[in-house]
mmCIF file of all heavy atoms in Angstrom:
data_model
loop_
_atom_site.group_PDB
_atom_site.id
_atom_site.type_symbol
_atom_site.label_atom_id
_atom_site.label_comp_id
_atom_site.label_asym_id
_atom_site.label_seq_id
_atom_site.Cartn_x
_atom_site.Cartn_y
_atom_site.Cartn_z
ATOM 1 N N ASP A 107 -7.984 13.340 2.780
ATOM 2 C CA ASP A 107 -6.663 12.978 2.323
ATOM 3 C C ASP A 107 -6.673 11.569 1.728
ATOM 4 O O ASP A 107 -7.621 10.803 1.913
ATOM 5 C CB ASP A 107 -5.703 13.044 3.510
ATOM 6 C CG ASP A 107 -4.245 13.134 3.085
ATOM 7 O OD1 ASP A 107 -3.997 13.148 1.857
ATOM 8 O OD2 ASP A 107 -3.378 13.181 3.961
ATOM 9 N N ILE A 108 -5.600 11.224 1.013
ATOM 10 C CA ILE A 108 -5.426 9.862 0.525
ATOM 11 C C ILE A 108 -5.367 8.916 1.723
ATOM 12 O O ILE A 108 -4.761 9.237 2.747
ATOM 13 C CB ILE A 108 -4.125 9.767 -0.299
ATOM 14 C CG1 ILE A 108 -4.256 10.573 -1.590
ATOM 15 C CG2 ILE A 108 -3.782 8.319 -0.625
ATOM 16 C CD1 ILE A 108 -2.975 10.651 -2.388
ATOM 17 N N PRO A 109 -6.000 7.746 1.668
ATOM 18 C CA PRO A 109 -5.973 6.802 2.797
ATOM 19 C C PRO A 109 -4.550 6.507 3.263
ATOM 20 O O PRO A 109 -3.624 6.362 2.454
ATOM 21 C CB PRO A 109 -6.644 5.552 2.216
ATOM 22 C CG PRO A 109 -7.566 6.073 1.163
ATOM 23 C CD PRO A 109 -6.856 7.256 0.572
ATOM 24 N N LEU A 110 -4.386 6.378 4.565
ATOM 25 C CA LEU A 110 -3.051 6.241 5.149
ATOM 26 C C LEU A 110 -2.366 4.929 4.778
ATOM 27 O O LEU A 110 -1.142 4.841 4.831
ATOM 28 C CB LEU A 110 -3.154 6.357 6.673
ATOM 29 C CG LEU A 110 -3.651 7.705 7.208
ATOM 30 C CD1 LEU A 110 -3.721 7.681 8.726
ATOM 31 C CD2 LEU A 110 -2.742 8.833 6.744
ATOM 32 N N CYS A 111 -3.124 3.910 4.427
ATOM 33 C CA CYS A 111 -2.525 2.621 4.072
ATOM 34 C C CYS A 111 -2.214 2.503 2.577
ATOM 35 O O CYS A 111 -1.611 1.510 2.149
ATOM 36 C CB CYS A 111 -3.442 1.476 4.497
ATOM 37 S SG CYS A 111 -3.575 1.275 6.283
ATOM 38 N N PHE A 112 -2.617 3.493 1.793
ATOM 39 C CA PHE A 112 -2.425 3.383 0.345
ATOM 40 C C PHE A 112 -0.947 3.348 -0.064
ATOM 41 O O PHE A 112 -0.581 2.573 -0.969
ATOM 42 C CB PHE A 112 -3.148 4.522 -0.369
ATOM 43 C CG PHE A 112 -3.092 4.425 -1.869
ATOM 44 C CD1 PHE A 112 -3.714 3.387 -2.534
ATOM 45 C CD2 PHE A 112 -2.415 5.374 -2.623
ATOM 46 C CE1 PHE A 112 -3.660 3.280 -3.917
ATOM 47 C CE2 PHE A 112 -2.362 5.283 -4.000
ATOM 48 C CZ PHE A 112 -2.984 4.234 -4.661
ATOM 49 N N PRO A 113 -0.054 4.143 0.557
ATOM 50 C CA PRO A 113 1.366 4.035 0.173
ATOM 51 C C PRO A 113 1.934 2.629 0.378
ATOM 52 O O PRO A 113 2.757 2.174 -0.418
ATOM 53 C CB PRO A 113 2.053 5.066 1.081
ATOM 54 C CG PRO A 113 1.002 6.082 1.349
ATOM 55 C CD PRO A 113 -0.271 5.292 1.471
ATOM 56 N N GLU A 114 1.495 1.938 1.440
ATOM 57 C CA GLU A 114 1.962 0.559 1.622
ATOM 58 C C GLU A 114 1.484 -0.318 0.469
ATOM 59 O O GLU A 114 2.208 -1.205 -0.001
ATOM 60 C CB GLU A 114 1.455 -0.007 2.947
ATOM 61 C CG GLU A 114 1.884 -1.451 3.158
ATOM 62 C CD GLU A 114 1.259 -2.113 4.367
ATOM 63 O OE1 GLU A 114 0.783 -1.397 5.257
ATOM 64 O OE2 GLU A 114 1.255 -3.357 4.419
ATOM 65 N N PHE A 115 0.275 -0.079 0.032
ATOM 66 C CA PHE A 115 -0.278 -0.822 -1.098
ATOM 67 C C PHE A 115 0.578 -0.621 -2.349
ATOM 68 O O PHE A 115 0.793 -1.548 -3.131
ATOM 69 C CB PHE A 115 -1.705 -0.343 -1.330
ATOM 70 C CG PHE A 115 -2.471 -1.146 -2.343
ATOM 71 C CD1 PHE A 115 -2.965 -2.387 -2.022
ATOM 72 C CD2 PHE A 115 -2.700 -0.642 -3.609
ATOM 73 C CE1 PHE A 115 -3.683 -3.126 -2.956
ATOM 74 C CE2 PHE A 115 -3.421 -1.372 -4.539
ATOM 75 C CZ PHE A 115 -3.904 -2.623 -4.212
ATOM 76 N N LEU A 116 1.096 0.613 -2.532
ATOM 77 C CA LEU A 116 1.944 0.900 -3.681
ATOM 78 C C LEU A 116 3.292 0.179 -3.606
ATOM 79 O O LEU A 116 3.950 -0.014 -4.623
ATOM 80 C CB LEU A 116 2.188 2.412 -3.787
ATOM 81 C CG LEU A 116 0.963 3.292 -4.063
ATOM 82 C CD1 LEU A 116 1.372 4.760 -4.070
ATOM 83 C CD2 LEU A 116 0.302 2.920 -5.386
ATOM 84 N N CYS A 117 3.685 -0.217 -2.391
ATOM 85 C CA CYS A 117 4.998 -0.839 -2.188
ATOM 86 C C CYS A 117 4.974 -2.357 -2.341
ATOM 87 O O CYS A 117 5.983 -3.013 -2.056
ATOM 88 C CB CYS A 117 5.531 -0.482 -0.798
ATOM 89 S SG CYS A 117 5.997 1.243 -0.571
ATOM 90 N N HIS A 118 3.839 -2.934 -2.763
ATOM 91 C CA HIS A 118 3.741 -4.391 -2.730
ATOM 92 C C HIS A 118 4.781 -5.073 -3.616
ATOM 93 O O HIS A 118 5.353 -6.091 -3.238
ATOM 94 C CB HIS A 118 2.325 -4.847 -3.104
ATOM 95 C CG HIS A 118 1.986 -4.721 -4.543
ATOM 96 N ND1 HIS A 118 1.526 -3.548 -5.098
ATOM 97 C CD2 HIS A 118 2.057 -5.618 -5.563
ATOM 98 C CE1 HIS A 118 1.323 -3.736 -6.392
ATOM 99 N NE2 HIS A 118 1.629 -4.971 -6.699
ATOM 100 N N ARG A 119 5.077 -4.512 -4.797
ATOM 101 C CA ARG A 119 6.079 -5.156 -5.647
ATOM 102 C C ARG A 119 7.485 -4.943 -5.091
ATOM 103 O O ARG A 119 8.339 -5.836 -5.149
ATOM 104 C CB ARG A 119 6.007 -4.634 -7.087
ATOM 105 C CG ARG A 119 6.888 -5.454 -8.022
ATOM 106 C CD ARG A 119 6.755 -5.063 -9.471
ATOM 107 N NE ARG A 119 5.406 -5.228 -9.977
ATOM 108 C CZ ARG A 119 5.096 -5.232 -11.279
ATOM 109 N NH1 ARG A 119 6.052 -5.079 -12.184
ATOM 110 N NH2 ARG A 119 3.846 -5.363 -11.661
ATOM 111 N N LEU A 120 7.722 -3.770 -4.518
ATOM 112 C CA LEU A 120 9.004 -3.528 -3.859
ATOM 113 C C LEU A 120 9.234 -4.530 -2.729
ATOM 114 O O LEU A 120 10.351 -5.021 -2.530
ATOM 115 C CB LEU A 120 9.033 -2.106 -3.302
ATOM 116 C CG LEU A 120 9.563 -1.000 -4.216
ATOM 117 C CD1 LEU A 120 9.384 0.353 -3.537
ATOM 118 C CD2 LEU A 120 11.025 -1.222 -4.539
ATOM 119 N N MET A 121 8.184 -4.819 -1.980
ATOM 120 C CA MET A 121 8.308 -5.779 -0.888
ATOM 121 C C MET A 121 8.648 -7.170 -1.402
ATOM 122 O O MET A 121 9.462 -7.890 -0.810
ATOM 123 C CB MET A 121 7.009 -5.818 -0.079
ATOM 124 C CG MET A 121 6.885 -4.707 0.938
ATOM 125 S SD MET A 121 8.116 -4.805 2.258
ATOM 126 C CE MET A 121 7.676 -6.350 3.042
ATOM 127 N N LEU A 122 8.046 -7.567 -2.510
ATOM 128 C CA LEU A 122 8.373 -8.873 -3.087
ATOM 129 C C LEU A 122 9.810 -8.913 -3.580
ATOM 130 O O LEU A 122 10.490 -9.931 -3.468
ATOM 131 C CB LEU A 122 7.403 -9.197 -4.231
ATOM 132 C CG LEU A 122 6.017 -9.671 -3.802
ATOM 133 C CD1 LEU A 122 5.121 -9.837 -5.023
ATOM 134 C CD2 LEU A 122 6.097 -10.967 -3.031
#
Side-chain angles (χ1 to χ4, degrees):
D107 199 0
I108 292 174
L110 297 179
C111 291
F112 185 65
E114 178 188 341
F115 188 76
L116 296 177
C117 291
H118 74 276
R119 189 175 300 195
L120 270 174
M121 278 295 296
L122 282 175

